[in-house]
Amino acid sequence: RAGSAMVASLLACFALLGLCATAELVPCPGQVQSDFESVQSKIDRGLSAVSADTCACNIASYYVTPGYYKINESSPEVKCNRGSYCPYNMSQPTFCCPGYVCSENTIQLQSCGEGYFCPPQSIEKIKCNDLTVCEERTTEQEKYGVILLVFFFFLFFFVFATLFSHFTELRDANFQRAIKTASAKRYRELDELKGNGGQSDLKISTTDVKDSKNATGPDAQPTFTIDFKELEYTLPDGLTIMQGVSGRFGVGRLCAVMGPSGAGKSTLFNLITGKAKRTNGQLYINHKPEELFKYKRLIGFVPQDDVMLRDMTVTDVLTFSARRRLPSTYTSKQCEEVVAKIVAELEIGHVAESIIGDERKRGISGGQRKRVNIGMELVAKPSLLFLDEPTTGLDASTALDLCQTLKRLCRKDSLTAAAIIHSPSPKTFATFDDFCLLGKGGRMIYFGPVTEAYDYFALLGFSCPSESNPADFYLEVSLGKVQSSDARLRDMHWSALFTLWHAHEEAKDAHPSDKALYLEAMSKAFDAVGNSTNTRIKDKTKVAEEAKKIAAAAANEEKAKCCHPKCRRCWTTFTKSLYTFYKHAVYDTYMYWFAKGDGVCPELGMYLFNILTCGCVLKPTRRLPPVYVIFWLCLKRAFKQVYGNIWDFMQEQVLHVGLGLFLAASANQLVYIGRVEPDVCEVLAPAQMRGPCTQPIRDGYTGTANFMCFAIGFAGIAVGSTTFGAEKTVFYRHVSTGLDVVPYFFAKIVNDLPRMFIASVIVTFLMQAQFYSVGDTGKILGVTIGLYWTSFSQGYFLSTIVDYMSVPLWGVVFTMFWCLIFSGINIRLTERSNQPGFVQLLFQMSPPRWAIEAFYINEMSFYADYLDISARLSYFQYSLDNYNIDIGAMFYIGLFWQGASLMLLKLVGRNRMK
């Protein structure tokens, strides 16, 4: 804009210098008296006060026909173009005065009446909108009504949110009645148990175990007995972190898994569930060799962290999990009854309508949140439940209540459950049926009933004192902090506990009913451990000396074989590095894409096959709700996340309000003033100025459009990144339990469409408050929607590859990349033919390239009827007929980024989806 003003000033100077003897700069005739006097005062102040939109005329001292101009007395008359004003004796044409409208023949000047506005070079009056005010002879619209429209827009959403909240309260009231019914039923059952002496009337035995293969129908609820034999897991670097672990998780039983740090407690769960590939060992399901990944929909896994949406209520979290994971035959009412039952069992009915909360927003307590975390799995009615430290962070009383609830549910629902726990109280520890104690390095120290643990460790000489906590005592034994009372085992290393447990299993298998023979076998094991310990102590010095001799012999042998003592070591290191590279770069990559069961390609093939066959060939262990139901559930949840809290939603809109105001300030008094007549340029302009003289005097549309692209691009990426990025960990948890990514993804996209539209309306109308557009406001709204569509999509993409908290920073770089390099302004589209093919492709993929063109041609279409704008369009390589193409291009660019986001959601973090 500054350059255009400079050109205009220079041309005015040249005009005055060349015509000072034959022409005079005066206010143009036909103006009202007040405007005439204002122009005269500018002329009197000097050339610096005269600008391109000043209504001043160069009146010649010689005769010139009205409608024509004549540069000097000897030159021919030239007809004035439309948009100019040439009343009489004009030495050069002047632009039609701002606030006035000129006739087609450029002779008459008419005041722009009230209710209309007329920018410079107007040949017809532009009617003001209904929401604007236009005084007489104005060049702009006073858009006070736009602010009123935005106010009513927000008022509408406030009323909508109030009604939504009212309907939610009605639903919550119905759910509270269901909770009261379930609680009353639970208390009656507890009273009956107390009447029976506290013993459960549900008896679980091996005869109650049902074969999951023989379960009738896809919605049947099979039970699982899990036997694992000699499990082993070795890391790629050769370190074995689990070895020779065997045990059983029985139906209706609750098992406590304990051990010091590094004992492989979580690894055990991962090996059993298939999240990690075991190096050796076998898994048996109901006494048959099978893998658990086939029964993924019947397994519940409670993570150590409380992974859930913190801005939702307890009811919302549990209901979504139930509706998504229960069999498709369950009605909404049945799902509600299941949720009410679990809420009553977990004793969280009084906080059922409270939000979960986090560090920023207060919600339920940590213990209640832990119960909700467990409830998310229980409402799915799993057959097998794994819990990772469910009592961590809870007080002793709360932990006891939680474990008693779990045990009661195991008995009632024939549930197989195992939980990793740390330092439970004696009462809590006694609640468990079975006890698994692992030692460092992933070796088994004890696995069996809790009631038999005392006798086993007492046999080894580790009698738990009455004042000690049994769980803590056994953990200290595993660390070697307790000395055995048996003289043979007094000086043994803690690793000998693995050998003793192995001897115990062998003796028990060999003598299942003869206790004397069992004790004799164990005594021999004690002697063997004691002898090895004594030998190790007595021969410690001798062993050290022998080790030195062996090391020296090995060193001499290495020197004899190698010319350099470090050759063999270098070769060994090289071969290990080569193997590691192969393992990670080749083997792991191959397994990632083609591994049976959970590889990308087999999973995709099975998914497509299941769609084509409508799920009739591959019979699932549990038939979940169809895709459209999952889509609807995800959409309802997403809707409440975004629009449920009207104040949070309003705070988000403050960003777009500020953005609209900034754009309004940047577009203040933005107007197009065309080029100087060619004849005038050729005669009056120096050679160096004839290039700029071919361009318009004022044209800020491209600059404003580029700034709009940057502002909306940044805002859209920042807001859109929260759609998936803010709940990525929750997404991983849901996918690991069978959530279909496709309906989830499209539900989130559909839910964001109103956000994009509302933001576009706010920005467009607030921008119009100071932007005196001569184009179609609806088309500007279309450009804004297109920019938000693409920027939201880019936000989705960035949030899948980087932490969403850093996406706004990446969004600035990402937006500047498109706006500064590939917008078609700094590097014009006419110059891209000289660029490599991939650079031309980036131009095609740039949203600003299409948005700026659409914005520009929308405004320039008004001038195309009476001004020659072909040079300007050719300069940018734009076409007035390309608006629909521009909008369509932005739509497809958004689809491209959304497709990339969907693909990355499926591919990134697959280990966390198992």
Side-chain angles (χ1 to χ4, degrees), residues 92-147:
Q92 56 181 280
T94 189
F95 299 128
C96 188
C97 302
Y100 293 83
V101 60
C102 295
S103 60
E104 292 277 348
N105 58 11
T106 71
I107 298 176
Q108 297 177 349
L109 185 69
Q110 181 182 358
S111 174
C112 195
E114 187 175 352
Y116 296 87
F117 72 100
C118 301
Q121 294 184 284
S122 295
I123 63 171
E124 60 181 19
K125 297 183 289 187
I126 306 174
K127 185 173 178 57
C128 294
N129 296 326
D130 295 335
L131 297 176
T132 61
V133 176
C134 292
E135 298 178 354
E136 189 175 3
R137 302 190 316 281
T138 185
T139 60
E140 57 196 40
Q141 304 179 73
E142 299 295 340
K143 303 179 180 180
Y144 303 115
V146 173
I147 301 176

Side-chain angles (χ1 to χ4, degrees), residues 351-399:
V351 294
E353 306 310 326
S354 302
I355 65 168
I356 302 298
D358 54 16
E359 297 80 7
R360 298 177 296 104
K361 187 180 296 184
R362 183 174 177 83
I364 60 179
S365 66
Q368 292 164 345
R369 191 162 57 241
K370 184 70 70 175
R371 290 171 178 265
V372 175
N373 193 26
I374 298 172
M376 289 176 64
E377 303 301 321
L378 292 178
V379 294
K381 298 180 72 66
S383 297
L384 182 60
L385 181 64
F386 295 97
L387 305 98
D388 191 356
E389 302 186 22
T391 60
T392 300
L394 304 181
D395 59 83
S397 177
T398 304

Side-chain angles (χ1 to χ4, degrees), residues 784-837:
T784 310
I785 292 175
L787 285 172
Y788 270 109
W789 167 261
T790 55
S791 59
F792 264 69
S793 303
Q794 290 171 349
Y796 303 153
F797 172 78
L798 290 175
S799 66
T800 60
I801 58 177
V802 299
D803 181 38
Y804 92 98
M805 295 294 290
S806 61
V807 168
L809 180 61
W810 282 94
V812 174
V813 178
F814 206 65
T815 306
M816 291 179 66
F817 175 77
W818 298 115
C819 291
L820 298 183
I821 303 177
F822 298 103
S823 62
I825 302 300
N826 298 319
I827 302 177
R828 298 201 307 274
L829 299 179
T830 53
E831 302 172 0
R832 65 178 180 177
S833 58
N834 301 324
Q835 304 295 330

Side-chain angles (χ1 to χ4, degrees), residues 256 258 421 424-433 435 450 453 469-471 474:
M258 293 182 58
I421 58 171
S425 66
K427 289 184 178 180
T428 301
F429 183 68
T431 304
F432 290 88
D433 299 298
F435 173 43
V450 171
N469 183 343
Y474 298 145

Side-chain angles (χ1 to χ4, degrees), residues 275-520:
K275 293 184 178 182
K277 298 292 183 182
R278 57 182 179 272
T279 308
N280 198 6
Q282 185 62 55
L283 190 69
Y284 297 88
I285 303 176
N286 295 335
H287 315 295
K288 296 181 180 180
E290 279 189 290
E291 299 297 332
L292 271 178
F293 73 83
K294 297 171 59 177
Y295 306 100
K296 186 176 183 180
R297 296 177 176 182
L298 299 175
I299 300 174
F301 184 86
V302 180
Q304 178 179 352
D305 299 323
D306 301 328
V307 180
M308 61 193 74
L309 294 177
R310 301 302 183 89
D311 53 353
M312 306 296 285
T313 66
V314 173
T315 302
D316 294 328
V317 170
L318 297 181
T319 301
F320 177 81
S321 184
R323 293 289 304 276
R324 182 179 64 81
R325 297 175 61 184
L326 286 173
S328 57
T329 54
Y330 274 56
T331 63
S332 298
K333 185 172 181 58
Q334 288 175 317
C335 292
E336 185 179 285
E337 291 174 353
V338 171
V339 173
K341 172 191 170 185
I342 297 301
V343 168
E345 289 285 355
L346 296 175
E347 298 181 349
I348 51 177
H350 59 292
V351 294
E353 306 310 326
S354 302
I355 65 168
I356 302 298
D358 54 16
E359 297 80 7
R360 298 177 296 104
K361 187 180 296 184
R362 183 174 177 83
I364 60 179
S365 66
Q368 292 164 345
R369 191 162 57 241
K370 184 70 70 175
R371 290 171 178 265
V372 175
N373 193 26
I374 298 172
M376 289 176 64
E377 303 301 321
L378 292 178
V379 294
K381 298 180 72 66
S383 297
L384 182 60
L385 181 64
F386 295 97
L387 305 98
D388 191 356
E389 302 186 22
T391 60
T392 300
L394 304 181
D395 59 83
S397 177
T398 304
L400 175 61
D401 290 342
L402 181 60
C403 292
Q404 287 177 340
T405 300
L406 288 172
K407 184 174 183 178
R408 184 167 58 252
L409 291 173
C410 287
R411 295 289 192 272
K412 289 177 60 178
D413 299 334
S414 300
L415 176 65
T416 303
I420 298 173
I421 58 171
H422 289 293
S423 300
S425 66
K427 289 184 178 180
T428 301
F429 183 68
T431 304
F432 290 88
D433 299 298
D434 297 316
F435 173 43
C436 171
L437 180 62
L438 295 172
K440 285 186 176 181
R443 299 287 298 275
M444 187 67 75
I445 294 178
Y446 175 82
F447 194 106
V450 171
T451 54
E452 298 178 9
Y454 179 85
D455 294 336
Y456 173 75
F457 284 100
L459 178 65
L460 303 185
F462 303 106
S463 297
C464 180
S466 57
E467 68 277 7
S468 298
N469 183 343
D472 293 340
F473 177 79
Y474 298 145
L475 191 62
E476 290 179 353
V477 170
S478 70
L479 292 170
K481 295 183 178 180
V482 180
Q483 192 176 48
S484 174
S485 60
D486 193 309
R488 295 168 292 181
L489 306 178
R490 185 170 298 141
D491 296 322
M492 73 172 184
H493 190 261
W494 58 266
S495 59
L497 292 170
F498 309 147
T499 305
L500 293 174
W501 174 251
H502 185 68
H504 161 78
E505 287 188 310
E506 289 184 345
K508 192 173 181 181
D509 291 339
H511 313 290
S513 57
D514 195 329
K515 187 174 182 180
L517 293 177
Y518 163 77
L519 293 176
E520 182 180 349

Side-chain angles (χ1 to χ4, degrees), residues 218-219 297-298 322-329 380 620-627 629-630 737-740:
D219 301 331
R297 296 177 176 182
L298 299 175
R323 293 289 304 276
R324 182 179 64 81
R325 297 175 61 184
L326 286 173
S328 57
T329 54
T621 54
R622 173 185 286 181
R623 192 177 298 280
L624 298 181
V627 172
V629 175
I630 300 299
T737 56
L739 173 66
D740 193 341

